[in-house]
Amino acid sequence: MRKGAFSSHNCERVGQRAHGPGFPHPTPLFPFRDCEAACECRRAIYVGPTAPQPLYCTSASSKKTKPPKNEAAAGAESRCRSSCRLLPALPGMAPTSDAKSASGHLYWSRAPTKPEGSVPPRRLDAVAATGDAAAIPDPAPAAAAPWCPLFKWGQRGATVYLTIFVPCLKGDDDVQLDIAAGTLTFTARRVAELAGGVRAERSYRLHLQLFDEVDPARCAHHLRHDHVRVELAKRRARPWRFLQAAGVSKHPNERPDFDHCDDDSGSSDDAAPARPVSRGTPAARPRAQPVLGRMGWLLEPAEALLLGAVALYALACPYTKVEESFNLQATHDLLFHRADLQAYDHHAFPGVVPRTFAGALCLAAAAAPVVLPLHALGLPKWYAQLAVRLVLGLASACATLAVRRAARARFGRATADAHLLLCLCQFHPLFYASRTLPNTFGTLVAAVATEAWLRHSHRRALAALTVGIVVFRADLLLLLGPYAVLVAATRRLPLPTVVATGLTAAAAALLATAPVDSVLWRRPLWPEAQVLLANTVGNMSAGYGSAPWHWYFSSALPRALTLAYPLALLAPAVAPHPAAEFALLPLAAVSLYSLLPHKELRFVLYAVPPLN
């Protein structure tokens, strides 16, 4: 990058190009300072697209022969009074009355000033007198031609992080981002505040042909003061060697972002580094993987430990307690009584509040291939009960493993391994994973939403939590509310999209489950609405005991999370912003839940997946 002298004392490097040498778009030279005594003039000079070289300026005192004393004194005095009107002869700028005195000490040239052998500069006031407009580039096209911003990129797992630098962004600036499967187009328009109160509109444009396909629905962007952070969700979780497609030359404004690169040295050979590399660097070809392994259907040995732990708890404690009885008995009736609705158990023992059959229907359908052969062989129903418990535990464990794999795709293998280790150290989540409680179905939904949250699929996360609220547990609203506020406030999704997603999911879930429950309960019924009214408005749960407001934080969460609890409390202070939100939101939900007097550990199991 070339340097120049911009003052009477040969100050070094006061102007430079913002986008690198030789870039054709119009670029500003940073404001310079005239270092002569009693003068604090600053001015921004803009070089248009017709001038490939920067504009350099020197004063008369930088030459070996000094100007007359009276002329230098008059120039210094007039410059301080002229309030930075240094270039009255530039085309497109109105001349001032004291133009000659304001620019009499300045010269300009197209080459840097050197001690010897340099091109003799010309006086700016001489250019003004001769009217040589062609000698100085016209800055007028700078307002019309869009600028190409600097940008950097990196990647972690299944996410590409693109940072586009645009200075002095404001909330009302027009920033548009169009992401397709293989292209990205960024445009922005802003009003720049220049010296002397001058306002000029600037536009920016960046178009990229991406190396591989991305999922536009799972992409997100965040607007900051001086840059825009774009998170691109890959359709295929493989490293990108370049940002742009094959055959597209590297952009001159492209920079690597080494804050986002996968450098984990895991044991598997498929964990290739996802670091931006130069186009001339050969990359090692990853070892071919089986089809099932690439699709994520094969379990790693460490993940099999989680399934084994859930199965062990189900075998060690095969029987149920009263809160689990409805879903287990409903599953039994659907498997064995089927269309004989008169024989269903809930007519004789309806329970305190009605519950939905949605979870029992799903569980019976999944367990039928195992239970029906056992029944045909004449085995006791105890084996069918154990099979149903194991199927539910398998579903809960798979949801937890989905969260682990999403954490590996976003934060790296080390984070995923730590997550699995924490899950294996926790008793209560593994114990409740196979219990036929409504809370277990709600926790499974919370795990599905956490996986979507980690993968930036915010619509899917919102829809999953909404379905869980309408069908299984209305108290999931305490987690959905802060999450919806976060998504809308950070502009990951527009507010109308957040509202529309929630309403659509709620309507679909209600239309799918309410008719079934109404037929089985023999009256028009939305079960979870009655449960919500009974526990909040009627405060029915308080009759079963109450606990102090801090019980969840002082007793329930420490027992449920074990080693993860102190780490979750420290996360908002020490973890990076994208990771800290996974602790802040569930802790806020538990704080709101503490307002109800009746407390049980199973009520806050929904907070375990994001806190882990």
Side-chain angles (χ1 to χ4, degrees):
M1 189 172 292
R2 293 182 286 267
K3 300 179 180 179
F6 257 107
S7 74
S8 59
H9 298 288
N10 290 325
C11 294
E12 293 291 332
R13 197 178 178 272
V14 292
Q16 68 179 29
R17 285 186 175 272
H19 304 296
F23 195 73
H25 289 280
T27 55
L29 298 178
F30 295 153
F32 65 88
R33 180 192 298 272
D34 182 12
C35 295
E36 192 167 1
C39 184
E40 298 178 354
C41 301
R42 289 189 176 100
R43 181 73 180 203
I45 303 177
Y46 290 86
V47 179
T50 57
Q53 299 180 3
L55 191 65
Y56 295 94
C57 181
T58 62
S59 69
S61 60
S62 65
K63 303 169 62 123
K64 293 187 178 180
T65 58
K66 285 190 174 183
K69 183 176 181 180
N70 57 353
E71 180 183 344
E77 181 180 0
S78 61
R79 286 194 303 274
C80 292
R81 295 175 180 173
S82 62
S83 183
C84 300
R85 291 188 293 271
L86 295 178
L87 299 176
L90 285 177
M93 298 177 61
T96 58
S97 58
D98 54 349
K100 183 173 182 180
S101 60
S103 60
H105 70 300
L106 295 176
Y107 294 78
W108 74 273
S109 70
R110 292 185 182 272
T113 303
K114 301 179 181 178
E116 62 274 352
S118 60
V119 179
R122 299 178 60 185
R123 294 174 64 93
L124 289 179
D125 54 353
V127 175
T130 58
D132 189 3
I136 301 179
D138 185 2
W147 296 8
C148 182
L150 285 171
F151 61 94
K152 64 179 182 179
W153 76 282
Q155 54 188 316
R156 281 188 181 276
T159 305
V160 175
Y161 296 90
L162 177 65
T163 305
I164 305 173
F165 295 97
V166 177
C168 302
L169 284 174
K170 299 179 181 178
D172 55 352
D173 289 326
D174 186 9
V175 177
Q176 296 182 359
L177 192 64
D178 183 14
I179 301 176
T183 60
L184 180 146
T185 303
F186 168 83
T187 57
R189 300 181 70 86
R190 55 174 290 268
V191 177
E193 298 286 346
L194 305 179
V198 179
R199 297 167 60 88
E201 184 176 310
R202 298 285 179 261
S203 61
Y204 301 83
R205 188 178 188 274
L206 174 65
H207 179 75
L208 300 174
Q209 298 181 16
L210 301 177
F211 178 79
D212 202 355
E213 290 188 355
V214 298
D215 187 359
R218 296 191 291 119
C219 297
H221 70 280
H222 313 285
L223 181 64
R224 300 292 184 262
H225 173 67
D226 58 349
H227 68 274
V228 178
R229 170 65 59 82
V230 184
E231 298 178 1
L232 302 174
K234 304 176 185 176
R235 288 192 185 274
R236 291 180 288 272
R238 63 174 184 176
W240 287 15
R241 293 202 60 226
F242 318 111
L243 178 60
Q244 297 204 69
V248 179
S249 59
K250 181 180 178 181
H251 200 284
N253 287 9
E254 179 184 320
R255 305 290 186 268
D257 184 1
F258 293 107
D259 292 333
H260 295 90
C261 59
D262 285 343
D263 52 1
D264 303 314
S265 56
S267 57
S268 65
D269 296 334
D270 61 338
R275 179 189 300 270
V277 295
S278 62
R279 294 187 177 270
T281 304
R285 184 183 300 274
R287 189 175 66 182
Q289 298 293 323
V291 175
L292 293 179
R294 285 200 301 267
M295 298 182 69
W297 295 350
L298 291 182
L299 292 176
E300 299 178 5
E303 294 177 338
L305 292 176
L306 188 70
L307 296 178
V310 172
L312 180 62
Y313 286 125
L315 292 172
C317 303
Y319 302 106
T320 62
K321 56 183 296 189
V322 62
E323 289 88 350
E324 308 168 39
S325 61
F326 173 81
N327 280 308
L328 188 63
Q329 188 64 43
T331 305
H332 167 273
D333 295 342
L334 291 167
L335 285 170
F336 293 100
H337 297 311
R338 301 169 193 169
D340 186 8
L341 302 183
Q342 299 292 336
Y344 277 36
D345 180 79
H346 69 282
H347 297 308
F349 302 97
V352 179
V353 288
R355 293 290 182 181
T356 180
F357 276 82
L361 276 169
C362 297
L363 198 54
V370 179
V371 172
L372 296 182
L374 293 177
H375 180 62
L377 294 174
L379 295 177
K381 289 184 178 180
W382 182 88
Y383 292 99
Q385 174 177 324
L386 185 60
V388 168
R389 290 276 309 280
L390 290 175
V391 168
L392 179 58
L394 176 65
S396 300
C398 288
T400 302
L401 293 180
V403 174
R404 175 187 181 266
R405 296 190 177 190
R408 181 176 62 184
R410 179 162 180 176
F411 298 113
R413 177 174 291 274
T415 301
D417 293 342
H419 172 267
L420 181 61
L421 180 62
L422 290 174
C423 291
L424 290 173
C425 294
Q426 296 167 349
F427 166 75
H428 288 88
L430 298 179
F431 175 79
Y432 280 104
S434 63
R435 318 300 295 187
T436 54
L437 288 164
N439 309 88
T440 301
F441 292 101
T443 304
L444 199 154
V445 170
V448 172
T450 303
E451 184 268 343
W453 183 3
L454 282 164
R455 295 188 183 276
H456 306 287
S457 184
H458 302 294
R459 288 188 180 90
R460 185 156 58 91
L462 291 169
L465 289 174
T466 304
V467 171
I469 292 169
V470 173
V471 178
F472 297 114
R473 291 293 297 185
D475 44 12
L476 280 170
L477 180 63
L478 300 177
L479 184 60
L480 173 64
Y483 177 67
V485 171
L486 173 71
V487 171
T490 56
R491 301 183 184 180
R492 302 177 190 181
L493 288 177
L495 182 59
T497 303
V498 173
V499 176
T501 302
L503 293 178
T504 303
L510 192 60
L511 289 175
T513 59
V516 176
D517 290 325
S518 299
V519 170
L520 293 174
W521 283 98
R522 299 176 178 177
R523 65 179 187 273
L525 182 66
W526 176 14
E528 201 52 35
Q530 290 198 10
V531 175
L532 178 64
L533 293 175
N535 290 332
T536 56
V537 179
N539 199 19
M540 182 185 300
S541 60
Y544 297 93
S546 60
W549 64 268
H550 57 80
W551 185 83
Y552 284 136
F553 293 97
S554 60
S555 179
L557 287 181
R559 288 184 288 126
L561 294 172
T562 59
L563 297 177
Y565 185 58
L567 300 178
L569 295 180
L570 290 174
V574 300
H577 171 68
E581 64 188 32
F582 291 94
L584 287 173
L585 266 65
L587 289 176
V590 174
S591 301
L592 294 174
Y593 216 150
S594 299
L595 300 177
L596 289 178
H598 179 63
K599 298 177 176 62
E600 293 186 41
L601 185 145
R602 60 189 176 96
F603 293 165
V604 293
L605 286 176
Y606 326 122
V608 172
L611 286 175
N612 276 344

